[in-house]
Amino acid sequence: WFAHLPIPEGIGQGDPVLRERGATVYARLCAACHGSRGEGNVALQAPQLCRQHAGYLSRRLAEIAANQRGDASPAMVPIAAALTAMDRDAIASWLAATPCKEAAK
């Protein structure tokens, strides 16, 4: 229900250049598991990422890259570790501004 509510103008929009970079990096490294718009994939146990708070996503990617938390898929560690801080922020910015669609089954 919440995912379908309109987003107030300017909320979660961020820098358009950063979002564009995030869309490109996300499509290359993340979409195969998390879906084209971050909707998640139940079969792969890949969580929904779209419309999450950018700060949260960026922090989680940094934690996964540093292998600081054991709750992420082990496959995520090398992917997150290969990202620059700017790429993590860019992906997070794009996901925060991206409307969700139904998750893959």
Side-chain angles (χ1 to χ4, degrees):
W1 181 79
F2 285 109
H4 299 291
L5 291 175
I7 304 299
E9 189 66 33
I11 300 292
Q13 298 305 307
D15 176 13
V17 174
L18 192 63
R19 281 196 328 269
E20 185 175 327
R21 179 184 179 108
T24 301
V25 176
Y26 179 89
R28 184 169 41 90
L29 296 176
C30 312
C33 293
H34 289 279
S36 64
R37 300 179 64 81
E39 64 275 10
N41 187 315
V42 174
L44 297 177
Q45 296 182 341
Q48 178 177 309
L49 303 173
C50 53
R51 284 291 189 216
Q52 290 282 352
H53 188 271
Y56 168 77
L57 290 171
S58 187
R59 179 177 52 86
R60 284 294 289 141
L61 280 170
E63 291 170 351
I64 293 167
N67 206 15
Q68 290 178 331
R69 290 179 58 164
D71 62 346
S73 166
M76 278 294 302
V77 175
I79 295 167
L83 295 170
T84 65
M86 180 192 292
D87 284 342
R88 290 193 301 263
D89 290 346
I91 290 169
S93 179
W94 180 76
L95 285 166
T98 300
C100 300
K101 66 178 187 178
E102 189 171 322
K105 303 286 184 209

